[in-house]
Amino acid sequence: MIYIFRQDDFLLSSDEKNISRMTNVYGRPADKLYIDSYAGSQKKEKKSYKWINSEVENANRKRKLAQMYNQIAKGKGQKYSLEEIQQIYDYIHSENSKYRAMYKENKYEEYLTKQRDETVFEKFNLKKEG
């Protein structure tokens, strides 16, 4: 038996005129976890079309949440649903946690200035992370 990870992605040439399909990854069924991991890292390493698009979508989502936070901080939170506000809070909280961890590791004061004020969410009934 052989395990096949079938790539469903493709690569664009640097001039974006040629398209080539990513090759499948083969191995023993016992090594399925490693094969899947390797195939996923290939997408990132070779900057496949779907990987680039997902990175762009993720960056756009983060920018959108940051802009929505700015509106809440200005007192215009009523235009967002509670679900959207929860997503904004989760994003801001995770970013603040990241900056606190980076400060603890490197003792670089600039990280602390990048944190956003989470008290703007106190008027909403949110599930807060620990």
Side-chain angles (χ1 to χ4, degrees):
M1 284 189 91
I2 192 164
Y3 173 72
I4 303 171
F5 183 96
R6 298 190 189 282
Q7 293 280 15
D8 63 346
D9 207 348
F10 56 92
L11 304 169
L12 295 173
S13 62
S14 58
D15 60 2
E16 295 187 4
K17 292 183 179 180
N18 296 322
I19 297 174
S20 62
R21 183 176 164 90
M22 291 189 69
T23 58
N24 295 333
V25 181
Y26 302 88
R28 299 178 312 181
D31 296 331
K32 180 184 182 307
L33 184 66
Y34 301 113
I35 293 167
D36 292 348
S37 175
Y38 175 75
S41 66
Q42 257 191 335
K43 289 181 180 195
K44 181 178 179 182
E45 182 180 313
K46 293 185 177 187
K47 293 184 173 42
S48 72
Y49 181 76
K50 286 185 179 178
W51 182 81
I52 289 172
N53 280 351
S54 70
E55 289 296 305
V56 169
E57 288 171 7
N58 191 34
N60 287 341
R61 184 185 68 79
K62 287 180 177 181
R63 272 194 291 277
K64 179 182 175 183
L65 291 171
Q67 290 301 317
M68 292 166 85
Y69 166 81
N70 291 338
Q71 292 300 309
I72 291 172
K74 290 178 184 175
K76 299 178 181 177
Q78 68 276 8
K79 61 183 177 180
Y80 302 116
S81 70
L82 192 57
E83 184 179 314
E84 288 174 318
I85 293 171
Q86 182 70 52
Q87 290 174 355
I88 298 164
Y89 168 77
D90 292 342
Y91 168 70
I92 296 299
H93 184 74
S94 70
E95 287 293 298
N96 285 348
S97 297
K98 176 183 78 174
Y99 287 124
R100 282 191 296 272
M102 290 168 64
Y103 171 74
K104 281 183 182 177
E105 186 176 316
N106 301 311
K107 301 292 186 232
Y108 185 56
E109 293 286 328
E110 185 70 20
Y111 293 135
L112 296 178
T113 63
K114 294 180 183 259
Q115 292 185 88
R116 293 184 174 104
D117 182 15
E118 292 183 32
T119 60
V120 299
F121 297 103
E122 288 177 353
K123 60 185 166 192
F124 305 102
N125 187 20
L126 300 176
K127 296 178 204 159
K128 306 250 176 154
E129 295 179 15

